[in-house]
Amino acid sequence: MRGRLSSKSSGVLAGDSSGKGSWSSIWLLKPYFKRYLLRLAGGFAALVLVDLLQLFVPRIIRYAVNSLQEGHATPRLLLSCGLYICLIAVSIAGFRFIWRHLILGFSRLVETHLRNRMFSHLLALDKDFFQKTNAGEVMALATNDLAAVQLATGMGIVALIDAVFMGLAAFGFMCYIDPRLTFIAVAPMPLLALLTRTLSSRLHGRFKKVQEQFSVLTEFVRSTISSIRLVKAYNQEEHQSRRFAQMGETYVRNNVRVAVIYGALSPVSSFIANSSMLLVLIFGGRLTIYGTITAGDFVAFISYLFLMTWPMMALGWVTDLFQRGVTSLSRIESLMMARPSLCADENAPSVRIGRGEISARKLSFRYPGQTEPVINGLDLEIPAGTLLGIVGRTGAGKTTLCNLMARLFPVEEGRLFFDGYDVNSVSIDSVRSSIAYVPQDAMLFSDTIAFNIAFGAPEASMEKIEKVARAAAIHDEISAMPEGYETRIGEKGVKLSGGQRQRIAIARALLLDRPIIIIDDGLSGVDMETEHAIIRSISSYLEGRTCIIVSHRIAPVADAHRIVVMENGRIADQGTHSELIERNTFYSSIYRHQTLVPALGGTERGVICGEP
């Protein structure tokens, strides 16, 4: 199956723009509810037992009060009632610990599994997604949004079940005491339901804006820290601080708008609960005076009303928790629904590519939204073991061609073969596992130098790591560092120079020992003397391997078996170094500029023809 590079993933984390919660996203949580069904059942059983035990306390109080009223209460009877209440309290504490451990523990397990699932899915996405989604958005999903889902699946579920069960049970006991008084007490509740529904409908849109602004804040901090050298070089510390403060003020304003709704739900619930209590005191007191109900019934009724007050007051809080959780889960669903633009048939066979022969036939490629192709009907044959150099002006398509060969972009127009296998008919891993790729930007992790060199082969020994570091002409500089290969290099290798980062990336590729090596302008950050030293050092590694070197300088490709000159996504010319100097104006002009001008004291870089 051919991959497809589409523009549909734009704004994949935007979520539901309508401002309404999307309960359909609950499917993300179904596997965890099924997996931990017994755990949840045990937790819910403990929770129900706590509620049942609480319901017995008013019955004991009713019995004690009636005994006092009737005049046959004794100190021993009252002590017995007190001991029963203490025993129930201890039991409630024990069962409460159990349900907290089981249900709240379940919410943490959901958070962990969902985070792991998100991370694994992110690793499956490709360049197209990350070009349209910044890291701040993803970090917000992994922090604030996951926390909201965790609260909803933990305390949200507990409060809902507790409120429903306790509310219905208390209502039943109240009806048993006096149905008329019960209906008087619950008369204000429909107003609470109406207000809660009205306010919660606005909560989703406002909370969504809070989460989106948190994404903006996170991305701003990340990008500022990773570019701290540039910020300082341009003396923009104060400007960045002001921008951050403005974003923070927007975040606070959005949170205040959420707090207005949430702040209204709780007092409204309290007001209605207190209104019910007032009605009970007025009408229930009269019933007690007239002897319709006993004093014990009246005290028990008030106790049950207190137990029912929690469900009334919790209704707004539960609504808020679930609305936040659904909003965040909808944003997470948007991420989980994103699909890589480069997809292969799941049944595509895995093959071994050992020779390194590459063939492109009528290969074309255009980026989403662009009408003109970047690669346009390109034909290229690279025999196994060939050292191929690629040069060309900026925008000629050199890096795009490298990305196609490295299977980072889909092959939709034309065909690309490795060892005679069509890349669209074999698994993506089959091709990628045969290539050691050094991209233009030498991406490094905030870890040790040894870790970065051995990233593709974590089992590699220090002897092998040092060997490839020497070949990349970086060993001496690493050894001069205080901690050597255990030196931590900071965010994106901030402690290293551009040339050092490139050489570590080259060492990482050499360590993989793969049949195909692609170096996309990987020597641009070093001087010509170091460049020649690296070329001489890695020549032994390149023997018997297919090596493709893209460069804006002639020196790295001068000894190549064949050099390709690209122009407008096509091959304008190809041949050996001497042949191209003789017949290709563009190539010969670059060569003269890079050899004669430095000799006369000018710049060594000359005509820049690398591709950004």
Side-chain angles (χ1 to χ4, degrees):
M1 178 185 294
R2 296 189 174 222
R4 182 170 298 278
L5 189 63
S6 101
S7 58
K8 291 183 179 179
S9 60
S10 179
V12 291
L13 303 187
D16 180 14
S17 60
S18 65
K20 298 180 180 179
S22 177
W23 286 88
S24 61
S25 54
I26 295 296
W27 68 268
L28 285 171
L29 304 180
K30 284 183 179 179
Y32 313 123
F33 280 94
K34 290 182 178 179
R35 181 174 179 178
Y36 297 105
L37 184 60
L38 291 178
R39 182 190 186 101
L40 286 171
F44 293 151
L47 180 60
V48 169
L49 284 173
V50 167
D51 291 342
L52 287 173
L53 289 171
Q54 290 183 91
L55 292 169
F56 278 106
V57 173
R59 302 291 297 174
I60 298 174
I61 295 175
R62 172 181 176 274
Y63 176 73
V65 172
N66 284 338
S67 297
L68 287 169
Q69 186 183 29
E70 294 169 2
H72 58 75
T74 63
R76 183 175 181 179
L77 183 146
L78 295 177
L79 179 62
S80 299
C81 291
L83 290 175
Y84 279 125
I85 291 175
C86 288
L87 180 62
I88 290 174
V90 171
S91 301
I92 288 174
F95 285 118
R96 184 166 287 159
F97 171 81
I98 293 174
W99 74 249
R100 281 180 173 271
H101 172 71
L102 295 177
I103 299 179
L104 298 187
F106 163 75
S107 70
R108 290 298 181 183
L109 289 171
V110 169
E111 180 186 17
T112 301
H113 289 311
L114 202 54
R115 180 181 287 111
N116 293 341
R117 188 174 171 186
M118 287 169 58
F119 187 72
S120 298
H121 184 70
L122 280 170
L123 294 180
L125 298 175
D126 51 25
K127 203 170 184 177
D128 182 47
F129 173 84
F130 294 103
Q131 285 175 337
K132 297 172 182 177
T133 308
N134 61 55
E137 290 182 86
V138 176
M139 292 300 295
L141 290 177
T143 52
N144 262 20
D145 287 291
L146 267 181
V149 173
Q150 182 269 322
L151 278 174
T153 55
M155 285 307 301
I157 292 177
V158 168
L160 177 64
I161 294 176
D162 194 29
V164 171
F165 181 83
M166 183 66 78
L168 292 176
F171 179 79
F173 278 100
M174 289 164 64
C175 286
Y176 176 77
I177 294 173
D178 191 278
R180 292 173 298 173
L181 185 58
T182 301
F183 283 105
I184 291 173
V186 300
M189 290 187 182
L191 178 61
L192 175 61
L194 178 62
L195 289 175
T196 301
R197 179 180 178 85
T198 302
L199 293 174
S200 63
S201 65
R202 299 182 180 181
L203 188 61
H204 170 78
R206 294 188 181 186
F207 184 66
K208 178 173 173 288
K209 289 183 179 179
V210 169
Q211 299 297 72
E212 290 174 348
Q213 185 62 22
F214 183 77
S215 300
V216 173
L217 272 173
T218 305
E219 173 59 20
F220 182 80
V221 173
R222 185 207 63 80
S223 61
T224 300
I225 292 175
S226 63
S227 308
I228 191 65
R229 287 182 177 178
L230 186 64
V231 172
K232 291 184 175 294
Y234 280 76
N235 197 29
Q236 290 297 299
E237 296 93 336
E238 185 177 347
H239 175 69
Q240 293 295 90
S241 295
R242 286 198 303 269
R243 288 185 62 193
F244 182 75
Q246 291 171 356
M247 293 177 186
E249 290 173 2
T250 302
Y251 182 64
V252 169
R253 284 197 300 271
N254 291 340
N255 269 291
V256 168
R257 295 186 67 205
V258 171
V260 167
I261 296 179
Y262 182 58
L265 285 172
S266 182
V268 165
S269 301
S270 299
F271 174 77
I272 294 177
N274 290 326
S275 299
S276 296
M277 182 61 66
L278 178 62
L279 292 173
V280 169
L281 287 174
I282 294 173
F283 293 99
R286 288 183 178 181
L287 293 175
T288 305
I289 292 172
Y290 295 141
T292 305
I293 61 175
T294 65
D297 288 333
F298 182 63
V299 173
F301 193 95
I302 291 177
S303 298
Y304 284 124
L305 184 60
F306 271 118
L307 292 177
M308 197 173 183
T309 299
W310 154 244
M312 293 170 63
M313 297 181 63
L315 184 60
W317 183 56
V318 170
T319 301
D320 174 64
L321 283 181
F322 277 118
Q323 196 64 68
R324 287 172 181 250
V326 168
T327 302
S328 293
L329 195 61
S330 179
R331 282 166 47 83
I332 293 172
E333 181 188 30
S334 297
L335 169 64
M336 300 304 294
M337 292 300 291
R339 291 292 177 263
S341 57
L342 180 58
C343 299
D345 191 338
E346 294 181 356
N347 299 320
S350 295
V351 298
R352 183 179 180 277
I353 298 173
R355 300 195 311 274
E357 176 185 318
I358 304 174
S359 175
R361 300 173 189 174
K362 304 298 180 184
L363 187 63
S364 296
F365 179 84
R366 57 172 53 83
Y367 290 99
Q370 294 185 359
T371 56
E372 295 297 323
V374 182
I375 302 295
N376 190 6
L378 184 141
D379 290 309
L380 180 63
E381 297 291 335
I382 308 175
T386 298
L387 173 57
L388 179 74
I390 302 178
V391 298
R393 303 181 193 276
T394 299
K398 304 183 300 299
T399 293
T400 301
L401 178 60
C402 290
N403 286 329
L404 285 168
M405 288 191 289
R407 291 298 279 143
L408 299 179
F409 289 158
V411 177
E412 296 182 316
E413 300 180 44
R415 305 183 76 179
L416 181 63
F417 298 89
F418 280 77
D419 282 1
Y421 296 106
D422 188 333
V423 295
N424 286 320
S425 63
V426 299
S427 67
I428 296 174
D429 289 343
S430 296
V431 180
R432 289 179 179 171
S433 61
S434 67
I435 298 173
Y437 183 40
V438 183
Q440 279 184 325
D441 298 323
M443 298 302 298
L444 301 180
F445 295 94
S446 180
D447 209 301
T448 65
I449 293 176
F451 172 86
N452 276 280
I453 293 177
F455 176 68
E459 72 287 348
S461 64
M462 278 304 302
E463 182 181 356
K464 291 183 178 179
I465 292 174
E466 292 180 9
K467 184 178 179 181
V468 294
R470 286 190 177 91
I474 189 66
H475 172 74
D476 293 340
E477 295 173 47
I478 296 174
S479 300
M481 296 178 183
E483 298 179 58
Y485 283 85
E486 295 304 312
T487 301
R488 303 188 74 87
I489 60 178
E491 179 75 15
K492 294 184 178 180
V494 69
K495 295 182 180 180
L496 306 176
S497 67
Q500 288 173 327
R501 289 195 294 269
Q502 285 187 330
R503 282 175 283 164
I504 288 176
I506 290 174
R508 178 166 59 197
L510 295 178
L511 186 63
L512 293 178
D513 192 25
R514 291 178 175 175
I516 302 171
I517 299 177
I518 301 175
I519 303 176
D520 184 8
D521 206 13
L523 299 173
S524 60
V526 300
D527 56 74
M528 294 187 70
E529 182 179 349
T530 304
E531 181 180 62
H532 287 298
I534 294 173
I535 295 171
R536 287 194 300 268
S537 298
I538 67 175
S539 59
S540 59
Y541 284 88
L542 303 183
E543 291 181 4
R545 292 180 172 82
T546 301
C547 181
I548 301 167
I549 299 178
V550 175
S551 179
H552 69 265
R553 293 195 294 214
I554 298 301
V557 300
D559 294 328
H561 300 137
R562 185 158 49 101
I563 301 169
V564 168
V565 179
M566 291 190 64
E567 184 176 343
N568 297 325
R570 299 176 181 271
I571 296 178
D573 202 349
Q574 56 182 310
T576 63
H577 173 68
S578 57
E579 290 172 347
L580 291 175
I581 288 178
E582 291 293 330
R583 69 166 182 257
N584 189 278
T585 304
F586 172 75
Y587 187 87
S588 60
S589 65
I590 295 175
Y591 175 72
R592 287 195 301 271
H593 200 88
Q594 294 179 1
T595 53
L596 299 180
V597 173
L600 297 174
T603 178
E604 68 177 45
R605 295 184 68 86
V607 179
I608 302 300
C609 57
E611 183 179 357

